[in-house]
Amino acid sequence: MSLPTTNHEPGFRITRASHVVLTVCDLAASRQFYEKVIGLILTAEEGDALYFRGVEEACHHSLVLRKGEGAVCARLGLRVFQDDDLDRLKAFFEAQVKPKPLTLESYLAK
């Protein structure tokens, strides 16, 4: 099986992953894994949600674990280079076939 060709000029610039929200069946076991095995820092615990960050991260959290019925990636946030990259991403994904509506949220003021 061959790998797909990498598009080095996609028209938008994703610089890194910014945050992930995972739904987990066993919050206690997941906490042990991300805290003790992976080494993330627990920054908050609120009800059925745990908030983690990496050692070198300046943000409050980059990983949220929420207790739920099944294991699901509920949200994946990506950081873009500039605000106008969001507009190009939106246009790109609107042109694609997708199973459900895409939500692009900007946490930066335009």
mmCIF file of all heavy atoms in Angstrom, residues 22-26 66 68-74:
data_model
loop_
_atom_site.group_PDB
_atom_site.id
_atom_site.type_symbol
_atom_site.label_atom_id
_atom_site.label_comp_id
_atom_site.label_asym_id
_atom_site.label_seq_id
_atom_site.Cartn_x
_atom_site.Cartn_y
_atom_site.Cartn_z
ATOM 1 N N LEU A 22 -11.658 14.430 24.915
ATOM 2 C CA LEU A 22 -11.968 13.011 24.770
ATOM 3 C C LEU A 22 -13.055 12.611 25.759
ATOM 4 O O LEU A 22 -13.017 13.018 26.922
ATOM 5 C CB LEU A 22 -10.727 12.154 25.043
ATOM 6 C CG LEU A 22 -9.503 12.401 24.162
ATOM 7 C CD1 LEU A 22 -8.340 11.528 24.644
ATOM 8 C CD2 LEU A 22 -9.818 12.133 22.711
ATOM 9 N N THR A 23 -13.998 11.824 25.292
ATOM 10 C CA THR A 23 -14.978 11.203 26.183
ATOM 11 C C THR A 23 -14.446 9.817 26.523
ATOM 12 O O THR A 23 -14.046 9.072 25.626
ATOM 13 C CB THR A 23 -16.351 11.089 25.491
ATOM 14 O OG1 THR A 23 -16.765 12.391 25.101
ATOM 15 C CG2 THR A 23 -17.384 10.488 26.414
ATOM 16 N N VAL A 24 -14.416 9.491 27.814
ATOM 17 C CA VAL A 24 -13.860 8.212 28.268
ATOM 18 C C VAL A 24 -14.880 7.483 29.142
ATOM 19 O O VAL A 24 -15.711 8.109 29.798
ATOM 20 C CB VAL A 24 -12.539 8.415 29.049
ATOM 21 C CG1 VAL A 24 -11.492 9.054 28.151
ATOM 22 C CG2 VAL A 24 -12.741 9.258 30.291
ATOM 23 N N CYS A 25 -14.806 6.169 29.133
ATOM 24 C CA CYS A 25 -15.731 5.356 29.942
ATOM 25 C C CYS A 25 -15.313 5.325 31.407
ATOM 26 O O CYS A 25 -16.159 5.349 32.288
ATOM 27 C CB CYS A 25 -15.784 3.933 29.400
ATOM 28 S SG CYS A 25 -16.362 3.827 27.708
ATOM 29 N N ASP A 26 -14.024 5.237 31.660
ATOM 30 C CA ASP A 26 -13.500 5.115 33.019
ATOM 31 C C ASP A 26 -12.593 6.310 33.305
ATOM 32 O O ASP A 26 -11.422 6.321 32.933
ATOM 33 C CB ASP A 26 -12.737 3.799 33.151
ATOM 34 C CG ASP A 26 -12.311 3.493 34.572
ATOM 35 O OD1 ASP A 26 -12.144 4.441 35.380
ATOM 36 O OD2 ASP A 26 -12.120 2.303 34.880
ATOM 37 N N ARG A 66 -13.702 13.781 29.568
ATOM 38 C CA ARG A 66 -15.060 13.834 30.120
ATOM 39 C C ARG A 66 -15.608 12.420 30.205
ATOM 40 O O ARG A 66 -15.463 11.632 29.278
ATOM 41 C CB ARG A 66 -15.977 14.664 29.230
ATOM 42 C CG ARG A 66 -15.602 16.115 29.146
ATOM 43 C CD ARG A 66 -16.677 16.915 28.418
ATOM 44 N NE ARG A 66 -16.251 18.264 28.145
ATOM 45 C CZ ARG A 66 -16.234 19.253 29.027
ATOM 46 N NH1 ARG A 66 -16.632 19.032 30.251
ATOM 47 N NH2 ARG A 66 -15.828 20.456 28.684
ATOM 48 N N GLY A 68 -18.182 9.545 29.899
ATOM 49 C CA GLY A 68 -19.308 9.321 29.004
ATOM 50 C C GLY A 68 -19.543 7.843 28.777
ATOM 51 O O GLY A 68 -18.885 6.991 29.373
ATOM 52 N N GLU A 69 -20.461 7.556 27.900
ATOM 53 C CA GLU A 69 -20.858 6.165 27.619
ATOM 54 C C GLU A 69 -19.838 5.407 26.768
ATOM 55 O O GLU A 69 -19.726 4.209 26.859
ATOM 56 C CB GLU A 69 -22.219 6.151 26.914
ATOM 57 C CG GLU A 69 -23.352 6.662 27.777
ATOM 58 C CD GLU A 69 -23.574 5.793 29.003
ATOM 59 O OE1 GLU A 69 -23.579 4.550 28.878
ATOM 60 O OE2 GLU A 69 -23.736 6.374 30.101
ATOM 61 N N GLY A 70 -19.123 6.112 25.927
ATOM 62 C CA GLY A 70 -18.162 5.456 25.043
ATOM 63 C C GLY A 70 -16.921 6.304 24.862
ATOM 64 O O GLY A 70 -16.887 7.475 25.222
ATOM 65 N N ALA A 71 -15.901 5.687 24.288
ATOM 66 C CA ALA A 71 -14.644 6.403 24.007
ATOM 67 C C ALA A 71 -14.793 7.138 22.675
ATOM 68 O O ALA A 71 -14.968 6.513 21.638
ATOM 69 C CB ALA A 71 -13.491 5.414 23.967
ATOM 70 N N VAL A 72 -14.751 8.466 22.737
ATOM 71 C CA VAL A 72 -14.978 9.302 21.552
ATOM 72 C C VAL A 72 -14.044 10.506 21.582
ATOM 73 O O VAL A 72 -13.806 11.071 22.653
ATOM 74 C CB VAL A 72 -16.444 9.817 21.533
ATOM 75 C CG1 VAL A 72 -16.676 10.787 20.396
ATOM 76 C CG2 VAL A 72 -17.431 8.674 21.480
ATOM 77 N N CYS A 73 -13.540 10.899 20.433
ATOM 78 C CA CYS A 73 -12.856 12.183 20.322
ATOM 79 C C CYS A 73 -13.952 13.204 20.025
ATOM 80 O O CYS A 73 -14.485 13.263 18.926
ATOM 81 C CB CYS A 73 -11.812 12.168 19.215
ATOM 82 S SG CYS A 73 -10.981 13.772 19.039
ATOM 83 N N ALA A 74 -14.308 13.993 21.039
ATOM 84 C CA ALA A 74 -15.417 14.939 20.915
ATOM 85 C C ALA A 74 -15.002 16.220 20.219
ATOM 86 O O ALA A 74 -15.821 16.869 19.561
ATOM 87 C CB ALA A 74 -15.985 15.254 22.296
#
